[in-house]
Amino acid sequence: MQRSLATPSKPHELATATAPTAVPHSLAEDAMAVFTGVLLISVGVAFFTSAGLLTGGTAGLAFLLHYATGIGFGKIFFVLNLPFYWLALRKLGRAFTVKTFIAVLLLSLLTELQSQLLQFAQLQPLYAAIAGGLITGTGFLVLFRHRCSLGGVGIAALYLQDRYGWRAGKVQMAVDCCILLLALWTVEPLRVALSVAGAVALNMVLAVNHRPGRYMAT
């Protein structure tokens, strides 16, 4: 019996024939995702700061330079992000850069109001590291899937994933661990070790869930 031309003859042909197409996010979906992701990240940051832990990425580096030089955290954070915004505009597009600026601004506002909105009577440091890392990682995952980040290392991680196929989570994990190890100069080793655990938890969320080709929407 002659096989129909419309029927795939091999499994890979069937997979190709039924592969879903990418569905762009709407403006409303992007706005909701940016708010959701940033809100989750602000909660994770509250876990870290309440337990006296450190963060990774550009914010972690800005904190270290602030402690070492006495220069305001905001000024250092702004300067450190300048080359990354240039990279975002050139390589990742205007829409990505605009959403990233908005996310950074929103996170700044939320962290300023955090003490009035969220307080912990008691928070065990190890729990804060793991839970804070998972919550923050989920927030970054939401932002990344809507082509947005919080600047700095996040931009570089997304660019390297798009350009070379390196997983964003692994890139971020490597940078975060290096920054946290530098903190041994100013922070007690136990706090640094717990902060590394938090960074690993954060980036495992990205390494497992943010892989090229796994998520089709744009």
Side-chain angles (χ1 to χ4, degrees), residues 42-55 63 114 120 123 128:
S42 71
V43 173
V45 169
F47 271 69
F48 290 140
T49 55
S50 296
L53 304 179
L54 300 166
T55 60
F63 271 120
Q114 197 71 266
F120 300 101
L123 190 60

Side-chain angles (χ1 to χ4, degrees), residues 93-170:
R94 180 177 299 176
F96 175 91
T97 306
V98 170
K99 285 186 283 188
T100 296
F101 271 116
I102 294 173
V104 170
L105 177 60
L106 181 58
L107 182 63
S108 298
L109 294 174
L110 286 176
T111 52
E112 286 294 320
L113 298 172
Q114 197 71 266
S115 61
Q116 304 174 35
L117 302 174
L118 181 63
Q119 297 181 0
F120 300 101
Q122 182 179 359
L123 190 60
Q124 205 277 337
L126 179 58
Y127 176 83
I130 302 302
L134 293 176
I135 293 171
T136 305
T138 302
F140 274 112
L141 179 64
V142 173
L143 294 183
F144 285 179
R145 287 187 168 180
H146 285 258
R147 300 293 296 169
C148 178
S149 79
L150 285 176
V153 176
I155 292 176
L158 284 178
Y159 168 71
L160 291 173
Q161 176 168 287
D162 290 346
R163 182 68 175 82
Y164 299 106
W166 300 357
R167 292 185 189 174
K170 290 187 175 181

